[in-house]
Amino acid sequence: MFDHSHSTLPAAPGVGFKASHFAALTADSGPVRWVEIHAENYMGAGGRPMAQLSALGERFPISVHGVGLSIGGEGPLDADHLARLKRLIDRVQPASFSEHLAWSSHDTGYLNDLLPLPYTEATLDRVAAHIDEVQDRLGRQMLLENPSSYLAFEASTLSEPDFLRALTRRTGCGLLLDVNNVFVSATNLGFAPLDYIDAFPLDAVGEIHLGGHDEDTDDHGAPLLIDSHCRAVADPVWTLLDAVLMRTGPKPVLIEWDTDVPDWPVLAEEARRAEEVLSRLEVSA
Amino acid sequence: MTHAAQFRAGLLDARLPVPPGLTDGQGRPAGRRYAVYRNNVAVTLTEAIITGFPAIASLLGADNMQRVAGAFIRQEQPRTPILSQYGAGFPAFLAEQDQLSHLPYLADVARIDLAMRLSYHAADHTPLNPAILAQPDEATLMATRLSRAPSLETVSSRWPACSIWRYAMGRTADKPAGEAEDVAILRAEFDPVPVVLPTGGQRFLDALRADATLGDAIAAAGDGFDVAATLTLLLSHNALATPQPKG
């Protein structure tokens, strides 16, 4: 059981780091006060990625964000991957480590997507055991991120916020609240995003994510949003961020932009918008 | 079958029906919502192969590469979540494709693409000080053991694989000539480059990897081996490392 320190990231804007932004980011980071890396991109032994990571670590608090641990998986955690993660965490000494409420590996290999799981007492036991194992192995608390959902399981007996709350109570883990994921899931599954936020264990939130989504439709013509991280954050997601921060107070807010990555000024402008939201909060406090 | 096994089964086989027990959150069947996951898996793994084998993508063209990579990801998924290591089986896969048999060099060019990635992520090293080779005493020099840089990779080909790779990547306008090439991937600092090794160079580097002395490695390289040219090439790319103390 780990205490609720959640993370030591500053309550300020951060960005998901892209190698193409290295020169611009290190020359003038603008409003960006911290950076997040995907753990699996920094598991090589050396070369430019590790050199850039070392340079970033001297300038910014680092958040290590894993995408491949398959915490929601049915089988045991991959011990080799956990060992690689432990080496990276020991090397970087990040301000935060986070992973997803999802699975991505099965017996045939790694599927490179964040796949969903039903919310039941059985899956709760399994995910809690996996989080315990990760936190024990890494010797630190982790944050768990809420997923984007495109469908629901008939087998689910717990709501997602209740499932996440139970995990925080059992394991002492913190939560990474992805506000875009809330908006995407709410639209796709037909619930009110604010109801989800009101049910969410906000006292466990150590970090917030924002990202862009694409718009599609399902078989019945109903809107189907895709969590693509390939464009600017949508206006209703900014509005939802306001509502979240009014409830939580200032938090570290990350802009994710992973495909069709824009030039640095475009990403910096998104971070500036997050900075504005955070500064409005300070004025009204 | 468990939830995950059912969910997993249809992800890479679009002929299978949507797994049971999935809804749109309002009680209706999930239908094409499941295809979002199918699409994510196929698109991102295919993209990993396309970006991981840029010379093959250039040689085959976008449409063909999409088809070949799409077939490969259904046969072999990543063994780890580190996508930069994905595709070790792709060269052999290319060699097995009947419709690509008129391009028999593809597998070796793919091995260069793969070796470039391994080199890019390999451990850093302290380059060998060339002064070590300025030994006045030849016996001492020949008894010296040289270490390969961790980022040094080699690919031996019956085809002019390095010339084809360079042509495919737009590094040269010269059409590749029809000779076998032994290729070394050399990384002076951060950016690996493939170069053609002089005659015997591959055998020389194999001997160094087996911890041979310089004298034994030169003997292993065989007739016609130009030791001065080979060492100059390796040293100019920081491809030899300061030996680490044993133990």
Side-chain angles (χ1 to χ4, degrees):
Chain A
M1 187 80 177
F2 284 76
D3 65 20
H4 279 62
S5 52
H6 304 320
S7 83
T8 57
L9 294 170
V15 290
F17 173 66
K18 298 294 160 202
S20 59
H21 295 151
F22 181 77
L25 173 67
T26 50
D28 177 7
S29 62
V32 172
R33 299 262 309 280
W34 57 281
V35 297
E36 185 160 283
I37 58 154
H38 282 182
E40 284 72 14
N41 291 341
Y42 296 89
M43 289 181 170
R48 180 177 283 114
M50 300 315 278
Q52 288 190 340
L53 180 55
S54 295
L56 288 175
E58 288 169 13
R59 300 231 1 207
F60 302 100
I62 304 280
S63 163
V64 172
H65 188 52
V67 298
L69 206 47
S70 206
I71 281 178
E74 289 185 336
L77 293 178
D78 178 343
D80 290 341
H81 198 59
L82 199 46
R84 287 189 283 265
L85 197 56
K86 168 79 174 154
R87 277 197 296 277
L88 179 65
I89 297 277
D90 288 348
R91 176 173 179 155
V92 176
Q93 297 290 319
S96 174
F97 168 68
S98 51
E99 251 284 357
H100 297 85
L101 177 57
W103 58 281
S104 52
S105 293
H106 202 56
D107 41 16
T108 56
Y110 175 67
L111 295 157
N112 198 36
D113 193 23
L114 298 167
L115 300 164
L117 58 151
Y119 301 138
T120 66
E121 292 297 334
T123 57
L124 183 63
D125 288 346
R126 199 172 64 222
V127 174
H130 285 169
I131 293 173
D132 283 340
E133 186 182 347
V134 172
Q135 294 186 138
D136 286 347
R137 186 79 174 85
L138 301 182
R140 62 181 298 145
Q141 187 199 38
M142 64 166 289
L143 307 180
L144 190 70
E145 178 177 345
N146 59 299
S148 282
S149 296
Y150 308 113
L151 48 74
F153 288 82
E154 281 174 354
S156 287
T157 55
L158 294 163
S159 74
E160 193 169 281
D162 286 348
F163 192 88
L164 289 166
R165 177 181 289 103
L167 286 173
T168 64
R169 286 184 178 158
R170 283 203 201 178
T171 68
C173 76
L175 297 174
L176 193 172
L177 175 57
D178 189 316
V179 176
N180 180 61
N181 287 359
V182 173
F183 185 77
V184 164
S185 297
T187 305
N188 291 346
L189 301 182
F191 60 80
L194 273 179
D195 288 350
Y196 182 99
I197 297 298
D198 284 334
F200 199 86
L202 293 172
D203 56 342
V205 172
E207 180 184 340
I208 288 173
H209 271 187
L210 297 176
H213 58 253
D214 283 334
E215 297 179 9
D216 199 351
T217 54
D218 76 356
D219 300 298
H220 307 282
L224 184 61
L225 303 184
I226 313 291
D227 179 35
S228 56
H229 297 181
C230 70
R231 63 182 70 248
V233 178
D235 285 340
V237 175
W238 286 108
T239 306
L240 193 56
L241 174 69
D242 270 330
V244 169
L245 292 177
M246 289 296 285
R247 289 161 170 80
T248 62
K251 292 286 174 188
V253 176
L254 183 91
I255 308 293
E256 293 185 294
W257 199 323
D258 293 320
T259 47
D260 298 333
V261 175
D263 290 341
W264 171 251
V266 177
L267 187 61
E269 189 50 40
E270 289 282 276
R272 213 175 309 281
R273 196 165 171 186
E275 185 184 42
E276 274 173 31
V277 176
L278 285 162
S279 61
R280 277 206 303 275
L281 212 59
E282 281 162 22
V283 171
S284 63
Chain B
M1 229 187 197
T2 63
H3 286 293
Q6 280 181 334
F7 203 95
R8 154 75 190 85
L11 284 175
L12 285 163
D13 189 348
R15 295 166 305 181
L16 292 178
V18 175
L22 304 177
T23 77
D24 67 349
Q26 318 277 341
R28 294 183 296 200
R32 65 179 295 235
R33 290 159 173 266
Y34 178 72
V36 176
Y37 299 99
R38 260 182 185 152
N39 193 52
N40 282 348
V41 171
V43 167
T44 61
L45 291 184
T46 301
E47 188 60 27
I49 292 299
I50 293 172
T51 56
F53 293 92
I56 301 302
S58 165
L59 290 169
L60 291 182
D63 290 351
N64 285 327
M65 184 65 183
Q66 188 78 34
R67 259 194 300 278
V68 172
F72 174 73
I73 65 147
R74 282 165 175 83
Q75 176 172 308
E76 183 178 312
Q77 286 93 55
R79 282 186 283 272
T80 79
I82 307 170
L83 284 187
S84 64
Q85 298 174 351
Y86 181 36
F90 191 59
F93 179 84
L94 290 172
E96 289 164 5
Q97 304 305 305
D98 287 342
Q99 76 273 25
L100 298 176
S101 59
H102 61 295
L103 306 172
Y105 49 79
L106 275 186
D108 285 347
V109 177
R111 287 183 184 102
I112 296 177
D113 274 337
L114 194 60
M116 292 284 286
R117 260 192 283 154
L118 291 177
S119 177
Y120 184 76
H121 291 281
D124 304 321
H125 68 283
T126 305
L128 180 73
N129 181 352
I132 287 180
L133 300 178
Q135 283 277 357
D137 172 32
E138 184 168 342
T140 308
L141 179 62
M142 287 302 143
T144 303
R145 286 183 163 81
L146 300 177
S147 298
R148 296 163 43 137
S151 53
L152 193 161
E153 298 280 338
T154 59
V155 174
S156 185
S157 179
R158 294 164 52 206
W159 311 97
C162 188
S163 301
I164 297 169
W165 187 95
R166 287 170 49 79
Y167 183 75
M169 296 297 288
R171 307 270 176 101
T172 175
D174 297 338
K175 288 269 188 185
E179 286 179 21
E181 288 177 348
D182 286 339
V183 188
I185 314 299
L186 307 179
R187 192 186 100 195
E189 189 188 15
F190 293 138
D191 295 304
V193 290
V195 299
V196 179
L197 283 167
T199 303
Q202 172 90 42
R203 289 189 294 273
F204 177 75
L205 288 172
D206 287 347
L208 291 191
R209 183 164 51 199
D211 209 23
T213 62
L214 179 57
D216 287 346
I218 291 169
D223 293 341
F225 177 62
D226 185 339
V227 64
T230 303
L231 287 175
T232 301
L233 174 70
L234 296 174
L235 289 170
S236 67
H237 289 83
N238 295 338
L240 297 173
T242 300
Q244 297 298 306
K246 299 252 156 112

